[in-house]
């Protein structure tokens, strides 16, 4: 009713059958086409339409396509069969301006990417603080006994070497996160 959805009809021989004013606004080359003549007479639209139809013929689930224009518009083109009663006569292409929706999706994707990067940075910072806390607590326990200097680092290194050897063997499938946590926890062995 608003005249914002364009449609183009093409028969199975790829001849142009007609279109509405909205489609001609989106693709001005349609004004030059003649009914029952090949859609390829408008090279730009014809090439796109035949590509969309070819994709649709191979898989009718792949019926939606986006096209970016030089003017910055994004059109959504949906391909379907053109019916005459119950008989398929060709293809119907529905065209709508999808610019605002695509801009909104891009905005959300950009925001999600920034948010994801912030979460990764904060998580990394918290993990670093956690590691320093573990070493600090273990060092505090170790400081009670002067004869075991460097014991914390030797324990962590010993556990790391042991885990590396176990992983090389391959008989035990140890998860990377589990291995990393074991190495981090090694300095805490005397804390209890």
């Amino acid at each position: 009713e608003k005249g914002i959805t364009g449609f183009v009809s093409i028969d199975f021989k790829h001849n142009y059958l007609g279109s509405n004013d909205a489609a001609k606004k989106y693709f001005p080359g349609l004004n030059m086409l003649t009914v029952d003549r090949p859609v390829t007479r408008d090279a730009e639209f014809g090439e796109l339409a035949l590509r969309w139809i070819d994709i649709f013929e191979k898989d009718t689930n792949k019926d939606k396509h986006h096209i970016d224009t030089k003017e910055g518009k994004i059109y959504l083109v949906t391909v379907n069969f053109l019916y005459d009663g119950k008989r398929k006569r060709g293809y119907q292409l529905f065209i709508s301006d999808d610019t605002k929706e695509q801009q909104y999706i891009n905005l959300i994707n950009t925001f999600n990417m920034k948010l994801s990067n912030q979460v990764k940075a904060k998580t990394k910072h918290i993990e670093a603080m956690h590691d320093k806390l573990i070493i600090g607590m273990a060092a505090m326990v170790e400081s009670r006994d002067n004869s075991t200097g460097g014991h914390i680092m030797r324990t962590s290194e010993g556990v790391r070497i042991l885990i590396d050897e176990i992983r090389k063997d391959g008989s035990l499938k140890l998860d990377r996160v589990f291995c990393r946590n074991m190495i981090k926890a090694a300095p805490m062995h005397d804390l209890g």
Side-chain angles (χ1 to χ4, degrees):
E1 290 179 11
K2 295 178 185 176
I4 57 174
T5 300
F7 69 86
V8 180
S9 299
I10 301 169
D11 69 14
F12 284 128
K13 294 179 182 177
H14 300 156
N15 290 323
Y16 173 73
L17 297 178
S19 59
N20 68 352
D21 289 338
K24 291 176 181 175
K25 184 180 106 186
Y26 297 144
F27 294 101
L30 290 172
N31 289 309
M32 307 312 257
L33 293 178
T34 307
V35 174
D36 291 332
R37 298 284 185 213
V39 73
T40 52
R41 289 205 172 183
D42 173 33
E44 181 184 359
F45 179 77
E47 183 180 312
L48 289 171
L50 294 181
R51 184 171 359 128
W52 297 326
I53 288 170
D54 185 50
I55 292 168
F56 179 73
E57 284 176 341
K58 291 176 183 170
D59 184 355
T60 55
N61 291 319
K62 295 182 180 178
D63 61 341
K64 296 187 183 336
H65 309 277
H66 282 95
I67 179 170
D68 296 344
T69 67
K70 297 170 191 164
E71 297 81 28
K73 295 281 191 181
I74 302 171
Y75 297 135
L76 172 63
V77 178
T78 305
V79 181
N80 209 329
F81 287 111
L82 174 65
Y83 287 92
D84 177 15
K86 293 183 180 181
R87 291 182 58 191
K88 294 177 186 174
R89 296 290 188 169
Y91 306 98
Q92 186 82 28
L93 280 64
F94 294 95
I95 307 158
S96 58
D97 188 345
D98 202 36
T99 305
K100 288 183 182 176
E101 287 81 1
Q102 291 304 310
Q103 288 172 341
Y104 181 68
I105 289 169
N106 287 338
L107 179 68
I108 289 173
N109 288 341
T110 301
F111 178 75
N112 284 341
M113 185 66 74
K114 286 180 183 177
L115 191 59
S116 177
N117 290 339
Q118 287 176 351
V119 167
K120 285 177 187 173
K122 301 266 185 207
T123 301
K124 193 173 183 179
H125 177 70
I126 290 170
E127 285 176 354
M129 285 178 29
H130 184 256
D131 292 348
K132 288 178 184 176
L133 179 65
I134 289 171
I135 297 297
M137 289 175 70
M140 186 172 62
V141 169
E142 188 177 83
S143 68
R144 293 183 306 164
D145 186 1
N146 291 336
S147 65
T148 59
H151 178 67
I152 296 170
M153 294 306 152
R154 286 193 305 275
T155 303
S156 289
E157 184 61 19
V159 169
R160 187 192 62 73
I161 292 169
L162 181 62
I163 286 176
D164 285 347
E165 292 302 316
I166 291 171
R167 290 187 82 196
K168 283 180 189 174
D169 178 55
S171 59
L172 290 175
K173 303 291 184 205
L174 298 179
D175 181 57
R176 284 186 187 271
V177 174
F178 173 78
C179 295
R180 188 178 72 230
N181 288 340
M182 287 294 291
I183 294 167
K184 283 183 180 182
M188 303 293 283
H189 73 279
D190 281 338
L191 199 58

